[in-house]
Amino acid sequence: MSALDSLVDLRPLRENRTFRRLWLGTTASGLGGQFGGFAVVYYIWERTHSAAMVGLVGLVTAVPLIVLALAGSAFTDHVDRRRLALGCSYGQLLISVGMAGVAASDVGGVPLMLVLAGAASGLAALGGPAKQTFTPVLLSGHRLAAGLALNHLSFQLAMLLGPAAAGLVTAQWGTTWCFVIDAVTFGFALIGIAGLPRGVQGATGRPGAAAVRDGLAFTVRTPQVRGAFLADLAATLLAMPIALFPVINEERFGGRPEILGLFITAVAVGGVLASVLSGLATHRRHPGTVLLICGAVWAVALGLAGLSGHLLVVLGLLAVAGAADTWAVVSRGTVVQTVTPAAYRGRVASLEHIVGSAGPQLGNLRAGLVASVTSGGASLAIGGVLGVVATGLIALTTPALRRFTVEDRVTEPAP
């Protein structure tokens, strides 16, 4: 493999105009979403100065996300996914406009802002999986892996740049303009979605509860998909570190807020660097093996961070964990979206959305509970050990995941 092959693979953007337009729209709206997310938290904190009220944001966004993602799996494969994604994006745009109105006028205040945040999360839970199903329609093989890496690079850049930019905008002009920026960027997302193929992607059976059961049954009986989801849960349920950052910062680094900010930044920096060097992962023929190795690296890095008392060492290990997480996410998506037939992609994408959203929340809960009876460092170290053990067991019991291979093929479906 040459040095250029190690860099992020841009061929999906060059070769596939539909994917290029979708990626640009998603990138713009992802950055705008960081503005909106920051503004919701800041608006509520500024008016209440209550940590509990800020924490309520997580609850009102997580519950509809999980519930509607599962409910959406009942019909996502039986409707025009392009139309569903468009409708949800229009709804999110209108909600962002409504949030701007609340921030500018204070009409409805905090309660209405929480309701709008929950509604936006619910629409994302319906439209996100529908939009996600188009990447394997547009790309396949190593192009699919490269496309997923580009999608994750977009996400990491938004995480790295968005909150800081939103803070500057808020300081200068207030939260209203953050919501306006979020609304405008949804316009770019609509342009990207509008060019996607129309129609139902060959769904079988009838929509409803039976469709949900079929999607769950497909996931359970397909070892590659089952193993990929379990590997993700092993990493997040057992070794999620975010809730421990304030505790470790207080225990070892004096509780200074500027140090706390470096923890999340280090994870994001590692993720961006891994995205830039994603060719090292996307050119591999065995993405399941890459997923398992990266899951183990994630757990080991976080476990060692729990044992270290040196700030630079901790930040370096967090960057390694962020890089491993990025390659793991790309590899998991490659496995799941390659193995899943078109008739099940909406349902499986909804389940993947739940795994990717609920896993970290429950993992942070586990970490906090363990830290309450031990310490932040001990909880992180214990989680790392458990994560390595669980990943090893998945590798041993799911050989189909380790052996899964991808082949390259270029596709450009007619719009």
Side-chain angles (χ1 to χ4, degrees), residues 271-306:
V272 169
L273 290 175
S275 295
V276 171
L277 298 173
S278 59
L280 292 170
T282 59
H283 288 105
R284 304 295 176 184
R285 294 186 67 244
H286 297 281
T289 300
V290 175
L291 166 61
L292 293 166
I293 292 173
C294 288
V297 171
W298 157 272
V300 169
L302 292 176
L304 292 175

Side-chain angles (χ1 to χ4, degrees), residues 69-75 78 206-218 347 351:
L70 187 59
S73 69
F75 59 83
H78 297 80
R206 301 182 64 180
V212 177
R213 289 195 299 270
D214 286 346
L216 290 169
F218 170 82
R347 281 166 281 187
L351 294 174

Side-chain angles (χ1 to χ4, degrees), residues 202-231:
T204 58
R206 301 182 64 180
V212 177
R213 289 195 299 270
D214 286 346
L216 290 169
F218 170 82
T219 299
V220 171
R221 71 172 180 263
T222 307
Q224 298 93 333
V225 177
R226 182 183 69 243
F229 283 177
L230 288 175

Side-chain angles (χ1 to χ4, degrees), residues 42-410:
Y42 189 85
Y43 175 88
I44 292 172
W45 172 254
E46 187 179 41
R47 280 154 181 79
T48 67
H49 291 283
S50 167
M53 290 301 297
V54 173
L56 191 58
V57 176
L59 180 63
V60 301
T61 56
V63 170
L65 187 153
I66 294 171
V67 172
L68 288 180
L70 187 59
S73 69
F75 59 83
T76 302
D77 287 318
H78 297 80
V79 299
D80 185 334
R81 296 174 189 156
R82 171 181 171 273
R83 181 175 295 178
L84 177 61
L86 276 172
C88 290
S89 293
Y90 274 117
Q92 289 173 281
L93 188 157
L94 292 175
I95 287 172
S96 294
V97 172
M99 287 177 167
V102 172
S105 65
D106 231 14
V107 173
V110 170
L112 182 54
M113 186 65 77
L114 289 171
V115 169
L116 291 173
S121 178
L123 287 175
L126 291 175
K131 187 166 66 172
Q132 184 179 328
T133 64
F134 285 99
T135 301
V137 173
L138 300 172
L139 306 168
S140 62
H142 292 291
R143 297 295 197 278
L144 172 60
L148 293 172
L150 287 165
N151 289 342
H152 204 63
L153 174 60
S154 169
F155 169 78
Q156 292 286 354
L157 288 173
M159 287 286 291
L160 185 64
L161 303 176
L168 293 174
V169 170
T170 299
Q172 188 69 30
W173 298 292
T175 56
T176 300
W177 281 101
C178 287
F179 292 123
V180 170
I181 291 171
D182 190 16
V184 170
T185 59
F186 271 118
F188 293 100
L190 290 168
I191 294 172
I193 296 170
L196 294 172
R198 296 183 178 89
V200 182
Q201 300 293 322
T204 58
R206 301 182 64 180
V212 177
R213 289 195 299 270
D214 286 346
L216 290 169
F218 170 82
T219 299
V220 171
R221 71 172 180 263
T222 307
Q224 298 93 333
V225 177
R226 182 183 69 243
F229 283 177
L230 288 175
D232 186 86
L233 289 173
T236 56
L237 281 176
L238 301 176
M240 197 66 193
I242 304 300
L244 298 174
F245 287 169
V247 183
I248 293 174
N249 185 41
E250 184 68 32
E251 291 174 351
R252 299 180 182 176
F253 306 113
R256 289 182 292 167
E258 63 271 24
I259 299 298
L260 179 60
L262 292 177
F263 288 173
I264 295 178
T265 299
V267 176
V269 167
V272 169
L273 290 175
S275 295
V276 171
L277 298 173
S278 59
L280 292 170
T282 59
H283 288 105
R284 304 295 176 184
R285 294 186 67 244
H286 297 281
T289 300
V290 175
L291 166 61
L292 293 166
I293 292 173
C294 288
V297 171
W298 157 272
V300 169
L302 292 176
L304 292 175
L307 299 175
S308 176
H310 299 283
L311 179 60
L312 291 180
V313 173
V314 171
L315 294 178
L317 289 167
L318 292 178
V320 170
D325 178 61
T326 292
W327 285 2
V329 169
V330 172
S331 300
R332 183 194 72 213
T334 302
V335 172
V336 172
Q337 297 194 35
T338 302
V339 171
T340 304
Y344 285 93
R345 279 181 185 148
R347 281 166 281 187
V348 173
S350 295
L351 294 174
E352 187 174 11
H353 199 64
I354 293 171
V355 168
S357 301
Q361 296 294 336
L362 294 175
N364 279 322
L365 175 61
R366 180 217 64 83
L369 291 175
V370 174
S372 68
V373 296
T374 56
S375 67
S379 178
L380 194 54
I382 291 169
V385 172
L386 293 176
V388 171
V389 172
T391 302
L393 289 175
I394 294 167
L396 288 174
T397 58
T398 318
L401 178 61
R402 300 197 314 268
R403 298 169 184 164
F404 176 75
T405 60
V406 296
E407 299 298 335
D408 219 353
R409 192 168 80 246
V410 179

